[in-house]
Amino acid sequence: MALYCGIDLHSNNHVVVVIDEEDRRILERRLGNDVTLTLQTLEPYRSELAGVAVESTFNWYWLVDGLQEAGYPMRLVNTTAVQQYVGLKYTDDRYDAYWLAHLMRLGILPTGYIYPKEQRATRDLLRRRMQLVQAASTQLISVQSQIWRETGERIATRRLKQADFVVDLPGAAQQLSAQSALLVYRAIHAQQTVLEQVLLQVIGPQPDYQLLTTIPGVGAILGMTIALETGDIRRFPGVGHYASYCRCVRSEKVSNGKKKGEGNAKSGNKYLSWAFAEAAHFAVRYQPLAKRFFDRKQRKTNGIVAIRSVAHKLARAAYYMPRDQVPFDAHQLFA
């Protein structure tokens, strides 16, 4: 008889529940966050376990990797898609873990992609680079706003970024405040540059990255983002699945020709959604066929819908190009 395991993972402990094919609880235990304890607990059931489902919002690497290396068939729960039974009056961690195992037994457990451990560090390094960019932008805007507020002069950000720019404000406190923010910006920007150089050394020679950078509007950063966040393109059954993962399709609920609400708009990859939106804006500026397609769409709808339509087109191209190892063809995409 097959067994099914659900694990509800928290910051300092996790609850393990094992059930059989008749939903009877075989094991129910709360453990500290030590993979050795988990392996010891599951060892008596190893040969019968059909799968182990882990639900976590942020700290699953150590547990999933440890169980995978031990040979357990793993499932990473899609936390934005899994639903609790709405008729329940009371739930706790034990029931949550049981519910995961139950859904897996029924074959309806929504799962996410377990990114290969060997490439995950590079992808996370790119995400760290994005965090640094956002932090640097915050400091730069702070300096610009303070100078504008104190002097009435709006200095362009490209001037603030120059190495020879010097803050000159009346008053020691104002000067120190703006100068400290500018120094923080420069320190963050220096680390951002280091990360970009390392990423290009790793990703630059890869054929998929080189193909993706032939898309109009996709440069080094967007190309790395699309390549690393996508991973193995063959994990997607079709182009529609990939476009949905990139959040480039509608999430409407329609009945009798009328919109009745929205679906799970957060399902998918927010980094790919951002990358294709950025690429779409550049493509409309520099690719004539993309501009013509955008204008035609805009006349029928509006600018936001039109730019998302271009992003959808680019996402479809980014699916076929690595899969078939072909370069970008604007005529085939926008004809």
Side-chain angles (χ1 to χ4, degrees):
M1 180 179 292
L3 300 179
Y4 304 86
C5 175
I7 300 179
D8 189 19
L9 176 61
H10 301 285
S11 61
N12 58 354
N13 68 82
H14 58 288
V15 176
V16 180
V17 172
V18 176
I19 65 172
D20 62 15
E21 291 182 342
E22 297 180 356
D23 282 342
R24 290 178 301 211
R25 288 175 169 84
I26 307 300
L27 170 72
E28 188 175 88
R29 191 171 301 171
R30 185 183 295 272
L31 303 172
N33 281 350
D34 184 344
V35 71
T36 304
L37 296 176
T38 314
L39 292 172
Q40 291 173 352
T41 302
L42 293 180
E43 182 60 32
Y45 314 98
R46 171 195 285 270
S47 60
E48 298 172 281
L49 278 174
V52 179
V54 175
E55 182 182 34
S56 172
T57 55
F58 75 100
N59 62 330
W60 57 267
Y61 286 6
W62 65 273
L63 180 58
V64 171
D65 291 343
L67 291 175
Q68 272 191 330
E69 290 169 2
Y72 288 94
M74 298 304 301
R75 309 285 187 274
L76 182 63
V77 178
N78 184 346
T79 56
T80 64
V82 68
Q83 298 291 328
Q84 283 283 11
Y85 175 55
V86 295
L88 294 175
K89 186 174 182 180
Y90 172 80
T91 64
D92 58 13
D93 296 336
R94 295 177 301 169
Y95 183 82
D96 290 343
Y98 163 81
W99 183 249
L100 299 176
H102 171 72
L103 293 179
M104 181 167 52
R105 183 185 70 80
L106 296 177
I108 57 174
L109 178 69
T111 58
Y113 178 60
I114 301 177
Y115 205 96
K117 181 181 178 180
E118 297 75 19
Q119 296 126 31
R120 194 190 301 146
T122 306
R123 182 203 63 179
D124 289 351
L125 187 64
L126 181 63
R127 292 182 178 181
R128 178 68 66 189
R129 181 256 171 205
M130 178 178 286
Q131 293 174 351
L132 292 180
V133 171
Q134 293 169 347
S137 297
T138 299
Q139 298 300 322
L140 203 64
I141 293 171
S142 175
V143 174
Q144 184 186 50
S145 299
Q146 185 171 3
I147 295 175
W148 200 350
R149 184 170 59 248
E150 297 287 349
T151 67
E153 180 184 4
R154 185 180 186 277
I155 299 178
T157 53
R158 64 176 179 275
R159 177 72 183 103
L160 294 175
K161 292 179 180 179
Q162 294 175 359
D164 62 347
F165 178 79
V166 178
V167 177
D168 185 15
L169 290 177
Q174 297 93 323
Q175 177 73 12
L176 181 60
S177 175
Q179 186 65 32
S180 63
L182 189 61
L183 290 174
V184 170
Y185 161 77
R186 289 171 177 169
I188 295 174
H189 182 70
Q191 290 302 309
Q192 171 193 328
T193 303
V194 172
L195 266 57
E196 290 172 359
Q197 293 172 349
V198 172
L199 286 165
L200 279 173
Q201 291 175 359
V202 176
I203 305 300
Q206 296 184 7
D208 287 356
Y209 165 78
Q210 295 176 2
L211 280 173
L212 290 169
T213 53
T214 64
I215 300 176
V218 175
I221 300 302
L222 293 183
M224 288 191 292
T225 301
I226 296 171
L228 288 172
E229 294 295 339
T230 299
D232 185 2
I233 197 66
R234 290 181 294 274
R235 69 186 177 99
F236 298 97
V239 65
H241 294 84
Y242 180 66
S244 176
Y245 183 68
C246 298
R247 299 184 182 180
C248 290
V249 299
R250 294 183 296 179
S251 60
E252 297 176 346
K253 293 182 178 179
V254 179
S255 178
N256 195 26
K258 297 180 181 179
K259 182 178 177 181
K260 299 297 183 179
E262 295 283 343
N264 187 3
K266 291 186 177 181
S267 180
N269 188 300
K270 65 179 181 180
Y271 301 99
L272 285 173
S273 177
W274 165 81
F276 284 115
E278 289 289 310
H281 281 92
F282 284 111
V284 167
R285 291 171 60 186
Y286 300 113
Q287 167 50 243
L289 293 178
K291 179 65 165 63
R292 188 177 67 180
F293 174 83
F294 171 82
D295 290 340
R296 187 167 64 248
K297 272 286 186 181
Q298 189 178 33
R299 286 193 295 268
K300 296 179 181 179
T301 55
N302 57 62
I304 296 175
V305 173
I307 205 69
R308 293 306 296 173
S309 297
V310 176
H312 180 218
K313 286 280 191 180
L314 296 179
R316 294 178 66 88
Y319 172 81
Y320 287 113
M321 290 166 61
R323 192 198 70 170
D324 301 336
Q325 290 296 298
V326 294
F328 179 80
D329 187 345
H331 293 279
Q332 186 173 355
L333 187 64
F334 293 110

